[in-house]
Every structure is written in structure tokens, then in C-alpha cells.
Amino acid sequence: MITTQTFLSVFFLSLLFSSSFAAPPSSDSVHESFVQCFSDKTKSPQTQITQNVFSQTNPSFSSVLRAYIRNARFNTSSTLKPTIIITPRSESHVSAAVICAKPLNFVFKIRSGGHDYDGLSYISDKPFFILDMSNLRDVNINIADQSAWISAGATLGEVYYNIWEKSKVHGFPAGVCPTVGVGGHLSGGGYGNMVRKYGLSVDYVEDAKIVDVNGRILDRKAMGEDLFWAICGGGGASFGVVLGYKVKLVPVPETVTVFRVEQYMDSGAVDMVYKWQSVGPKTDPNLFMRMLIQPVTRKKVKTVRASVVAQFLGRANDVVSLLAKEFPELGLKKGDCTEMTWLQSALWWDNHVNATMTDPKVFLDRELDTASFGKRKSDYVASEIPRDGIESLFKKMIELGKIGLVFNPYGGKMAEVAEDATPFPHRKKLFKIQYSVNWKESSAEIEKGFLNQAKVLYSFMTGFVSKNPRNAYLNYRDVDIGVNDHGAKSYEEGEEYGRKYFGDNFDRLVKIKTAVDPDNFFRNEQSIPTLPSKA
């Protein structure tokens, strides 16, 4: 692949040989040639294109860029800005964007929802374009065949709202945060609070549409089963631009139960977390019990709070009697439980305390330009952490002071699906860990301290988590585990993070990438590399 740098070097050499010195192509001339090409390909007058193609001088440029930046770390004046942002409103716009961007040799970033924890869909250290998919947000529900076609720029909140409008007994197994974009969520696997009952979001994908490197619009039949497999968990942005997915809806009961139970370090939290490991991943698949572990100050003393946040696809009486037997350390009482509809439970998970009184239309609010500072990392646990390990973990978290952990249990349906059924290989693990730290102050020193907390706790957990490779979840982007400069060592660099995200499935993903995008046009700092050439 010719990089922008190489292109400019050749450009300057030609200038030297012609012995006349001129400036390299300006962003204005790049914008001009892109707009001319885009106008030709879409057969739209250039005056219309200003609504879809934004140069840095466009008055709307900044608001379009900031709308889907969720991590304020990447929203500073010193962050390199894209030369052009394209906001397509049709499939043909996406096709034209790919065709017109390719000859210009800019890095081409694809952004669907912006919940990209390390910003790889909207930042770069090389000149780049952003293709922002947020206008492509159709959600077409077909209750007759229990399916939905969902465009890549739709949010999970919009999906849940549209399902609810058509049916009160259907749902979709995906994430608990309603502002996440479907394109990134599904292409990276996608999971939520029905993961133990139904598995991953991608386990329900029946068809998809993608724009390939040649600008062709392909459905599952046209793209073939290899590429279809790759974009159902292997990350869409390595292979093309995913336009949307057709998914199968799942049945949900008319009544579900949610509860939250908290314990502190001096009142049973260690025992609760230790026991959770043998119950959370093995209990009734209708029950999902997320564990939050956070350092807090209580009565002026630093301690750790462990919270079980849970959903049961059924009635409160049933889950209370189930956990009285399986998990007495939790101490769940009927009064801790609230029965509600499935959609109301989605509102509850999104921290709407009075979920039964909340208007579901809040799920249509995209909460634009609402970034806070943060960092996420991930791990997988294959065998239970011993009780003294939990105690030492609590002490370490108190010492660090801010970073929290989220344990997400697997088991149930997850453990029944083959590890190579999709690119997501972590099916047999007991649970996943998310490392989570947020802050509000804009300061390099403060940021360095919090990022260091994440690294220290991650290092501390080494002996308790998966090994060879130490696994990670693609949708919790983490540049600490490796980045790719796409130079001579692209394959080796890609293997570094690729094995952590995909295990043995990495090899198949590389072969597919090499076949469908041999020149590596679709690339980012953690994309799938092509096979090294045998030259």
C-alpha cells in the first residue's frame, strides 16, 4: 500500500526533477478533487454535496466531528483533525466515498457509533478522512418473520425502541448502552444482559451488506461465506464498510426481573465475589448477574464496594428462590427485585431509576457531543480466582483509588457455541473483565495518573487471567496491547494484538483480509493485517 508519506516523497522528487518548486497538495485541492469525484459518482450537483462532505473550513466541521466523540481524551486542540468528513445518506454515497478516497492515499476511518474507547475510528497520526455512518440509521422490523434490517449508523436504543413499537414479546441480545452504534457493536461481536440465554449479537445475524474496496455493494450471497463470517465478530472496518445487518429477533417474556445488591469489604463482599465466580457463569441461563467492583470511601474509610446488577428473564419469586439455594452469600430478598417489561429493563440498565415511568422515547436521544475522559481494558478468566486473590485484588484497588472492574459472566448459551463459529473465540471462558476509569478534569498530569492506574491493575491481574495469549475483547479497544504502523512489519504487529482479540481465528481473518483487500486500504491502528508478501 502506498502511504501518504510515500506519495508525498514521490511528489517532491518529481518537483526536483522538473526544477520548479511548488507547495504539496493543499487540503483545499484534496477536498476539491474528492468533491468532483463524489459529484460524478453520485450524479449530484456539487452544491448539494456540502451537506455530505465537510472540509476543515466548513462551519459545521467541528460539530460533525465532535458529535460522536465519546472519549474527551481525543477531543483536544492538539488532536490531528481529519482532512475531510463524509456523512453519507445512501448506500451509493458510501460506494462513491470509497472509490473517490482510494486514489488520494489518505487513511480512511469508518465511524458508526463513536463508542470507540481508544478513538481508532476518528483519530490518526497520519492525514485521514472520516466516513461517519450516523445518517444511515434505518431500523426495519418484520414481526411476521421475526427479523430486522438495521443500518450500521443506527443506535442500540433506536433498535430497542423500534422493536418495542411492534412487539412487547420480542427483543434482541445486544448491549446495555443505548447510544452505541450498531455497525461497530455487531461487527465486533456484541453482547449484553441476555448473553447467557442467547449468546452474542452476531449469533443472530442472517445477512449483511458491505461496500468492498472496489466500491461494490455486496450482500451475504455476493460477498461469500468467508467475508460474511469475518464481519460477524472480526471487526468490519478491516474488510470494507458495513452498511447494515439483518438479524433474527429473540422471544422475551412479558415480565422480567431486575435487581441490584451491594456489599462492602467489611460486610461480606469478598465472600460474595468469590462465590459469584461459581454461580454467575453456571446458574440458570435466564439469569445474568454482572458484578461491579469499585473502590469507594465510606464513613471516611477507603473500602471496596461489590455490586451485583442483574436481570432474570422471569418472575421475582423464581429468582429469589433460585438464589436462596445457589447463592445465599448474596442475601437477595423479594424487596430487592423489581418486575417490569423487557424494554423497561433496558431503560433500567441505562440508569433510569424509575424505568417503569420513563418514556421509551429517551432511547431516540443520541446524546451528541457528550464526551468524558476515560480508559477501558479487558481480560478473560478461565478458572476461578482464589479467595485470597480476591482479597489481594481489593487491597490493590484501594491502594490505586479510582479504577473499577466489571465482571460479565458467560456460560449458558455462550459455552454451547463453537469457538470458530464466529471470529469471537472466548466462548468457553467463565467471565470477562472490563477495567474502567473515568475522570472529568482536562489535564495531562491527571490523565497520566489514571492511565497508569489501569496499567498497574492490569499487570497485577496477570496471574489470574487467560494466558498464551492473554485474551482481550475487540469492542473494548485498547492500544496498550499493540498497534500497527502498517509498514514492513505489519503482519508481526498485527499478530501481537490480533491473537489476543481472536485467538486461532486470527489466521482465517488474515487470509480473508488478504483476499478481499490485498492493498490494505481499510486499515486502522488495530486492523487485521494482510499476509506478508513472499517477494
Side-chain angles (χ1 to χ4, degrees), residues 473-487:
Y473 177 42
L474 180 70
N475 278 356
Y476 292 170
R477 286 286 197 198
D478 178 11
V479 294
D480 298 345
I481 67 170
V483 291
N484 200 328
D485 197 40
H486 300 288

Side-chain angles (χ1 to χ4, degrees), residues 477-533:
R477 286 286 197 198
D478 178 11
V479 294
D480 298 345
I481 67 170
V483 291
N484 200 328
D485 197 40
H486 300 288
K489 294 191 170 173
S490 174
Y491 178 80
E492 290 87 345
E493 289 170 359
E495 191 172 28
E496 184 67 26
Y497 55 81
R499 296 268 174 217
K500 292 167 187 162
Y501 287 138
F502 304 113
D504 291 341
N505 293 333
F506 174 73
D507 298 310
R508 185 176 174 193
L509 287 167
V510 170
K511 282 181 187 159
I512 295 164
K513 166 72 174 179
T514 308
V516 302
D517 183 21
D519 293 328
N520 197 22
F521 173 69
F522 293 111
R523 65 190 186 277
N524 60 51
E525 291 79 357
Q526 287 194 335
S527 56
I528 300 294
T530 54
L531 281 166
S533 62

Side-chain angles (χ1 to χ4, degrees), residues 68 110-114 121 131-134 152-154 181-185 366:
Y68 294 96
I110 306 158
R111 178 168 82 171
S112 66
S121 60
L131 183 72
D132 184 304
M133 300 291 283
S134 58
V182 165
H185 191 64
R366 291 182 161 230

